[in-house]
Amino acid sequence: MQKEQSRISYNGIQNGGLVKPPVFIPRVIPRSPSVPSLQNDRSFNALNASDPMLNRPLFEDSTKLTPSNKTRLEPDFNPSPVQGSPSTIGGNSNLSVIDMYGDDTESQMASEESDDSPRTNSYTPINEISDNSNIIDDKNIPQLMHRLSLSDTTNKTNNEDNDDEYHKQPIPKSPRVNISSKDAENFDRYGFKKQTTYITEQEYDVWWKEYYQYCNRRKNKWIQLMEKYDLSTKDESIRRFPPKSEKLKRYVRKGIPAEWRGNAWWYFANGQQLLDENPSTYPQLLSKIDHIETLPDKETKYPDLEIIERDLNRTFPDNIHFQRESFQNTEPEMIKSLRRVLVAFSLYNTKIGYCQSMNFLAGLLLLFLDEEKSFWMLVLLTSKYLPGVHNVNLEGVNIDQGVLMLCVQEYLPAIWEYVVPSEKSNTNKTNLNKLMNSRFTPNHSHNKDPKNEFLFKLPPVTLCTASWFMSCFVGVLPIEVTLRIWDCLFYEGSHFLFKVSLGILKLSEGELLKGKHSNSLTHYTLNGNQNKERLNNPEENEMELFQIVQSFPKKILNPNDIFEKIIFKKRITFNNLDQDEIDRCRKYVTEQRQKHIPLSDNKKSLSHTNINDNSNSERSVSSQIGESGYKSLNVQKSKTMKQEHKSDEQLSGSQSEGYGFKRSITSVNWNSGLKQRVRQIRSKKD
Amino acid sequence: MLQFKLVLLGDSSVGKSSIVNRFVKDSFDEFRESTIGAAFLSQTVTINDNDSDVAQEITVKFEIWDTAGQERYKSLAPMYYRNANAALVVYDITQADSLEKARSWVQELKNKVDDDSLVIYLVGNKIDLVSNNNDDQDKRAVERSVAETYAEENNLLFSEVSAKTGEGIKQVFQSIAENLYQIRKKQDTTNINSTQRGNAPVDIHLQRPSTNDSTSCCS
């Protein structure tokens, strides 16, 4: 069988002397807990071409399921009884998660000419292979077997035997839960509950009816593009994408087809390279986890385990794949996968260990990618895209918030007034200020303070925006919006997070002004004559801003509210931000903050960085990341390089002054570096 | 109306967000998403002032800052508790460690917040896990008396509650409000504003405690 071959070749690498004999037994890795068969590249076979998205039953409208389309029995789909997975939820009438993608999308594939114009059409779904689930499942290691191999030490000492064992064992089917047709009404295509505190189910259904048409049209466009490059367009066999181009960027920005997402992220983030360079890392980490599980003092030795445990059931409690109903005796497979990925990561990168918010990152990845790939994507997210953000001292977060604040100051002056009250309005309110012990003392925060003190004394709104970065907007925005952002994040880089943040803040400008005019917060104050003051009261403004920034994004149901109104608009100046600018800005903020953070603080935060039992794993982190050529903006590292900074020519200009954003030559505002250079040239001439 | 800033502190998953959710929305979810960063909510309570010449009802508005519990978020904490009037330090009565974390929070507050009038309330959450029947008694990992003694020694308010059943939640905030009101009144009388005595309480902005922590905010 193809699959066996693939596994043999995998083990062949292990045992063929290319890799030194592993200390820990390489284990076969549980495969995708959720999404239809995203196959291991190394073992791709024809069966993988099954196309769940195209195969699923068709129905007109998610709210109107007819019996014929909502009942798709998948006898092979259920996990083995040993697993006790809640496959029987909803009785016999089950929809797989694949079906959840539903809503007869592909049957209405769309237009060629115009990108987004609605179309009726006649795309015929490819109906080749019945069910993808057997394929993924092959790769799944049942918990039972997991335990068997643990108790059986002879297995542990012999790879090949072990591998054979795997084949003898009954292989469980996909850990995905089946979703009853009843649930399909309440949950979206990824298993998230449609209704939230801010969005009703009805609102969701109305919007989705439109949006899924949009998704169809986009997918059709994608198919055409892929065909141009002779690339596969079958959902499950997509490995490669066209070379980067403006056109592809536009396509990505308009949304990658949901069924391709996992593979597209993997491709654009260049995850395969990392996996190819470290084929045995994840299996070894899993073996190590097995080993740790047997230790009596594991909790004191590995404090992250306990913290991870606490967060498992607090990750997407409203998602059907993560949900644990009270009547369930065993936990969902998804939770088991999540545990493995997070624990493996905490062992792999001890500098980070486990940081709350990574549960959401890993959780979302697991909905789209298999476990091992999710693990590597988490590695990439925390090193390449969000360097230092999840480190023990969270300095990376503070740096990114400093960068964001600089951007707000530069691009969103109206919001900036709320974030850091301007000098002018402060002087008008001296008396008031004397009476107040403002949270953000205005004396420290001149609007155009060249020293940018707000960079190390971050304004309170950053307590909210920090979570945007830590979880990459998971849980901050409705899921479809978040996914569109992730599409761009992996294609364009981390600067996109800043763009989107600015976009959200810009959208909330309207909300802020609304609040101001309607005096909606008058009840904050005692009596009428304080209302006037309230409007100029920095602290009240701060709270108002915080509340809006905290809740407003959750109401943005339609991704195109951000993309079409903000991201695609060329006249919006912050759309000129590029990765280079953000990297430069991050560097600047890092340096500014270092000037003001007492050294003792650094030491303190570093001292409890590692509960490191395995220096190997740490070394492997840096070497692997390094070898892959990522210029990880490692905060810790840059601290030690403090002295080298002075020689950094590129930055010398901005170090002494405020940060200068790149601007076009025709712009009235020149950046400070340019100004200096012009002055120099002039003085030479003189 | 009086307005106070209240901050919730404590180890992760002791039930900080659940307590706020019970107080603000009177609801409870078995599994809540972990709090990342901070959440801001507000809620009012009404207290009676019977000491005044004329008995009166006073509305107290709480600005509540709910925080992430994991150790590493501690560096962000000064941003929350700066200018706080009250702190709710929460532990889980089924987790012995969580009381230790609570103690360290109390210590941090006492060291970093230079304000005697800061009201600190120690709350043991999750009594629903032990109070239902005797079989569950062994789930309790922190004896009430231990926490109570610690609270007395350190001049903290104390009670055990359940965010799940709602038991004791309202009373916690009620009692904080009353304490803050008494403090405010005392400060008020020592202030020059004698004319305001017997009238509505002064504007909250007049007296905000401050911190002596020069590195406060996030470092």
Side-chain angles (χ1 to χ4, degrees):
Chain A
M1 288 218 359
Q2 291 268 353
K3 287 160 220 153
E4 277 174 359
Q5 277 170 10
S6 75
R7 191 163 295 124
I8 288 160
S9 69
Y10 177 62
N11 279 288
I13 292 170
Q14 292 297 318
N15 299 325
L18 294 175
V19 174
K20 63 174 179 180
V23 184
F24 298 106
I25 239 184
R27 269 189 17 193
V28 182
I29 296 144
R31 286 297 148 195
S32 166
S34 152
V35 163
S37 132
L38 299 170
Q39 260 310 340
N40 184 339
D41 292 3
R42 288 170 297 209
S43 62
F44 178 69
N45 63 45
L47 282 175
N48 293 353
S50 96
D51 187 344
M53 307 301 288
L54 300 180
N55 246 345
R56 74 180 174 272
L58 309 173
F59 39 95
E60 292 292 314
D61 180 333
S62 58
T63 55
K64 282 187 249 159
L65 296 169
T66 63
S68 62
N69 62 36
K70 72 183 168 190
T71 56
R72 176 171 161 209
L73 293 173
E74 293 184 345
D76 290 332
F77 187 71
N78 295 339
S80 69
V82 190
Q83 296 263 302
S85 193
S87 52
T88 48
I89 294 175
N92 287 332
S93 164
N94 287 334
L95 276 178
S96 74
V97 70
I98 303 160
D99 302 317
M100 298 300 301
Y101 281 77
D103 306 52
D104 89 293
T105 36
E106 274 67 51
S107 64
Q108 305 197 3
M109 295 299 290
S111 71
E112 316 288 296
E113 310 89 43
S114 115
D115 248 9
D116 299 320
S117 61
R119 265 290 187 103
T120 50
N121 64 58
S122 52
Y123 175 86
T124 321
I126 307 155
N127 277 308
E128 284 179 301
I129 289 135
S130 58
D131 192 346
N132 67 300
S133 53
N134 330 351
I135 302 153
I136 338 166
D137 305 334
D138 236 5
K139 296 284 172 174
N140 271 310
I141 293 311
Q143 281 306 103
L144 174 70
M145 280 188 47
H146 190 117
R147 274 182 229 120
L148 280 177
S149 67
L150 246 184
S151 56
D152 187 350
T153 43
T154 53
N155 262 357
K156 284 209 148 200
T157 53
N158 188 324
N159 269 341
E160 279 171 357
D161 286 356
N162 195 33
D163 195 51
D164 283 347
E165 271 313 297
Y166 284 136
H167 289 283
K168 286 171 199 158
Q169 297 292 337
I171 307 279
K173 298 305 169 191
S174 166
R176 278 173 283 152
V177 294
N178 291 347
I179 298 164
S180 72
S181 52
K182 190 171 165 288
D183 286 337
E185 288 174 18
N186 307 123
F187 294 86
D188 71 9
R189 53 177 172 168
Y190 313 106
F192 288 98
K193 207 173 173 179
K194 291 176 184 173
Q195 188 182 350
T196 68
T197 319
Y198 298 90
I199 293 158
T200 67
E201 196 176 301
Q202 204 193 357
E203 281 168 337
Y204 183 94
D205 286 335
V206 167
W207 160 76
W208 175 245
K209 222 175 166 178
E210 284 270 310
Y211 190 68
Y212 94 79
Q213 299 278 359
Y214 170 86
C215 293
N216 291 343
R217 292 195 300 276
R218 293 312 311 164
K219 184 165 183 186
N220 203 27
K221 283 281 184 187
W222 272 92
I223 288 172
Q224 289 169 35
L225 182 70
M226 299 289 273
E227 279 167 353
K228 250 185 220 166
Y229 287 89
D230 276 336
L231 295 168
S232 166
T233 54
K234 287 176 188 165
D235 287 344
E236 296 315 317
S237 60
I238 286 178
R239 293 289 172 281
R240 290 175 55 234
F241 289 83
K244 290 201 168 187
S245 65
E246 275 303 306
K247 184 174 186 179
L248 187 60
K249 183 169 113 182
R250 203 171 64 242
Y251 272 50
V252 170
R253 283 182 170 195
K254 290 186 173 185
I256 298 169
E259 314 82 69
W260 301 359
R261 270 205 168 102
N263 284 344
W265 296 347
W266 182 248
Y267 182 84
F268 293 133
N270 209 0
Q272 193 60 40
Q273 190 191 342
L274 207 49
L275 178 59
D276 287 344
E277 285 166 6
N278 308 279
S280 57
T281 301
Y282 191 66
Q284 284 177 12
L285 287 166
L286 289 187
S287 299
K288 192 177 174 192
I289 294 171
D290 285 350
H291 173 67
I292 288 171
E293 284 299 316
T294 64
L295 299 176
D297 60 342
K298 58 172 178 177
E299 265 143 41
T300 43
K301 224 177 160 191
Y302 300 93
D304 280 336
L305 295 188
E306 169 72 23
I307 305 166
I308 289 169
E309 210 58 40
R310 287 182 206 161
D311 276 352
L312 292 177
N313 288 320
R314 306 202 292 159
T315 308
F316 304 141
D318 280 343
N319 185 292
I320 213 150
H321 304 290
F322 290 83
Q323 258 173 2
R324 183 175 181 171
E325 301 294 342
S326 47
F327 57 81
Q328 283 176 246
N329 294 321
T330 54
E331 58 188 358
E333 288 302 303
M334 189 62 95
I335 296 289
K336 290 175 185 166
S337 288
L338 181 63
R339 176 185 293 114
R340 283 190 292 265
V341 170
L342 291 175
V343 173
F345 184 90
S346 74
L347 300 171
Y348 175 78
N349 186 339
T350 47
K351 228 174 220 161
I352 292 173
Y354 172 70
C355 176
Q356 281 190 318
S357 72
M358 279 164 52
N359 53 329
F360 297 118
L361 299 178
L364 192 66
L365 289 167
L366 281 168
L367 284 171
F368 291 88
L369 286 160
D370 69 38
E371 232 185 90
E372 188 174 29
K373 286 181 178 173
S374 296
F375 168 80
W376 287 113
M377 287 297 274
L378 189 60
V379 170
L380 284 167
L381 268 174
T382 52
S383 57
K384 184 181 173 186
Y385 296 94
L386 297 162
V389 162
H390 301 89
N391 279 23
V392 169
N393 61 3
L394 298 183
E395 180 58 10
V397 177
N398 295 330
I399 289 168
D400 279 353
Q401 293 314 297
V403 172
L404 182 64
M405 289 303 107
L406 275 176
C407 293
V408 172
Q409 185 188 38
E410 172 79 10
Y411 296 110
L412 299 171
I415 300 272
W416 185 247
E417 280 294 301
Y418 280 79
V419 177
V420 176
S422 73
E423 246 173 71
K424 194 186 158 200
S425 53
N426 282 338
T427 48
N428 291 342
K429 288 177 300 190
T430 334
N431 290 332
L432 189 63
N433 286 334
K434 272 181 189 164
L435 294 172
M436 292 183 353
N437 232 329
S438 168
R439 199 171 299 133
F440 195 84
T441 318
N443 303 345
H444 291 280
S445 59
H446 307 300
N447 198 28
K448 285 287 176 184
D449 180 358
K451 283 178 186 164
N452 290 334
E453 271 192 65
F454 60 87
L455 292 181
F456 52 90
K457 217 171 153 82
L458 290 164
V461 73
T462 58
L463 289 173
C464 184
T465 50
S467 70
W468 296 3
F469 286 75
M470 298 190 78
S471 64
C472 272
F473 292 100
V474 178
V476 173
L477 293 157
I479 188 65
E480 292 285 352
V481 189
T482 307
L483 292 170
R484 290 276 296 272
I485 293 169
W486 280 44
D487 291 348
C488 299
L489 172 67
F490 293 124
Y491 185 85
E492 297 188 38
S494 58
H495 75 281
F496 197 82
L497 295 177
F498 292 89
K499 254 185 211 175
V500 168
S501 299
L502 292 169
I504 294 171
L505 289 170
K506 182 151 183 69
L507 283 175
S508 58
E509 233 174 46
E511 295 279 308
L512 266 175
L513 294 174
K514 231 192 285 171
K516 209 162 189 168
H517 291 310
S518 67
N519 259 353
S520 65
L521 292 174
T522 41
H523 58 275
Y524 263 59
T525 49
L526 264 179
N527 48 48
N529 59 13
Q530 279 177 335
N531 283 347
K532 285 175 212 152
E533 280 172 13
R534 189 200 68 82
L535 293 177
N536 295 317
N537 180 337
E539 197 162 348
E540 297 296 353
N541 283 349
E542 220 167 59
M543 298 320 303
E544 195 178 348
L545 177 69
F546 194 96
Q547 280 182 305
I548 287 169
V549 165
Q550 168 182 261
S551 56
F552 173 73
K554 296 188 163 67
K555 299 172 194 162
I556 306 173
L557 180 57
N558 189 357
N560 288 331
D561 280 354
I562 293 178
F563 281 84
E564 277 166 17
K565 286 186 197 161
I566 305 284
I567 303 295
F568 294 137
K569 291 273 193 290
K570 284 213 171 94
R571 60 178 170 79
I572 291 177
T573 45
F574 60 71
N575 283 332
N576 297 326
L577 277 175
D578 56 18
Q579 193 61 45
D580 181 53
E581 179 89 89
I582 291 298
D583 287 345
R584 209 162 57 91
C585 207
R586 272 174 168 166
K587 220 167 174 181
Y588 168 79
V589 174
T590 308
E591 282 152 12
Q592 292 296 311
R593 286 182 60 84
Q594 276 164 5
K595 284 184 196 165
H596 292 95
I597 296 170
L599 262 179
S600 58
D601 269 21
N602 285 346
K603 276 180 196 157
K604 210 169 46 185
S605 57
L606 284 171
S607 65
H608 54 94
T609 304
N610 292 326
I611 321 115
N612 188 1
D613 71 299
N614 183 357
S615 52
N616 253 351
S617 69
E618 208 194 349
R619 217 179 333 122
S620 67
V621 178
S622 45
S623 65
Q624 276 154 5
I625 301 287
E627 278 163 24
S628 321
Y630 303 128
K631 283 184 183 170
S632 85
L633 286 161
N634 193 315
V635 179
Q636 311 286 4
K637 221 183 264 171
S638 57
K639 270 174 190 160
T640 61
M641 301 192 306
K642 218 172 173 180
Q643 282 154 343
E644 295 170 33
H645 288 153
K646 280 178 186 165
S647 61
D648 192 337
E649 297 257 308
Q650 199 191 352
L651 278 156
S652 55
S654 56
Q655 253 184 329
S656 52
E657 295 176 31
Y659 182 79
F661 280 88
K662 277 185 288 191
R663 293 188 176 101
S664 66
I665 286 296
T666 52
S667 167
V668 184
N669 301 303
W670 286 37
N671 90 27
S672 51
L674 262 176
K675 263 186 199 164
Q676 253 183 352
R677 233 168 284 162
V678 170
R679 255 181 243 138
Q680 281 170 358
I681 293 166
R682 275 188 189 155
S683 63
K684 270 184 193 169
K685 274 184 181 172
D686 293 343
Chain B
M1 178 155 77
L2 281 169
Q3 189 175 319
F4 294 113
K5 180 181 170 187
L6 181 147
V7 58
L8 276 102
L9 301 167
D11 201 6
S12 83
S13 84
V14 294
K16 295 178 294 298
S17 302
S18 291
I19 287 174
V20 177
N21 203 43
R22 172 60 74 188
F23 174 56
V24 174
K25 293 176 185 157
D26 197 23
S27 68
F28 177 80
D29 300 312
E30 194 62 46
F31 298 117
R32 284 191 73 78
E33 300 209 332
S34 340
T35 307
I36 309 299
F40 173 83
L41 293 98
S42 60
Q43 175 66 302
T44 57
V45 294
T46 313
I47 54 169
N48 292 309
D49 181 3
N50 299 321
D51 302 337
S52 305
D53 305 335
V54 187
Q56 56 175 330
E57 278 196 343
I58 293 131
T59 310
V60 173
K61 186 186 178 88
F62 282 113
E63 282 177 0
I64 303 165
W65 287 88
D66 182 19
T67 67
Q70 199 187 351
E71 186 76 22
R72 68 186 65 186
Y73 284 86
K74 220 166 180 169
S75 64
L76 305 176
M79 227 197 290
Y80 309 112
Y81 60 63
R82 212 176 349 150
N83 306 319
N85 303 97
L88 213 60
V89 181
V90 186
Y91 70 95
D92 174 353
I93 63 161
T94 68
Q95 299 288 335
D97 272 4
S98 67
L99 182 64
E100 287 315 304
K101 290 270 166 59
R103 284 175 199 254
S104 76
W105 276 119
V106 170
Q107 219 38 59
E108 167 140 1
L109 286 170
K110 296 210 165 191
N111 292 340
K112 299 262 177 81
V113 182
D114 180 29
D115 174 34
D116 299 334
S117 64
L118 176 76
V119 172
I120 306 177
Y121 202 126
L122 182 68
V123 178
N125 189 26
K126 306 195 187 179
I127 50 170
D128 55 280
L129 290 176
V130 300
S131 57
N132 288 340
N133 66 64
N134 288 334
D135 296 343
D136 282 344
Q137 269 302 331
D138 56 2
K139 275 195 178 173
R140 184 184 272 275
V142 179
E143 285 309 317
R144 188 192 164 95
S145 56
V146 173
E148 206 163 19
T149 313
Y150 169 74
E152 273 167 27
E153 286 167 3
N154 290 274
N155 209 14
L156 319 174
L157 296 167
F158 170 76
S159 68
E160 289 189 341
V161 303
S162 165
K164 188 171 182 174
T165 65
E167 189 181 342
I169 301 290
K170 185 104 208 280
Q171 290 87 321
V172 167
F173 290 90
Q174 195 73 30
S175 135
I176 293 174
E178 279 157 13
N179 271 276
L180 287 172
Y181 177 65
Q182 292 304 329
I183 292 167
R184 182 59 45 83
K185 250 171 66 169
K186 230 180 257 170
Q187 289 171 343
D188 192 19
T189 44
T190 52
N191 282 350
I192 10 134
N193 303 326
S194 53
T195 46
Q196 290 203 359
R197 285 174 74 186
N199 288 336
V202 288
D203 175 33
I204 43 123
H205 294 306
L206 290 176
Q207 304 269 335
R208 282 263 179 173
S210 64
T211 68
N212 62 354
D213 176 15
S214 56
T215 60
S216 67
C217 207
C218 49
S219 48

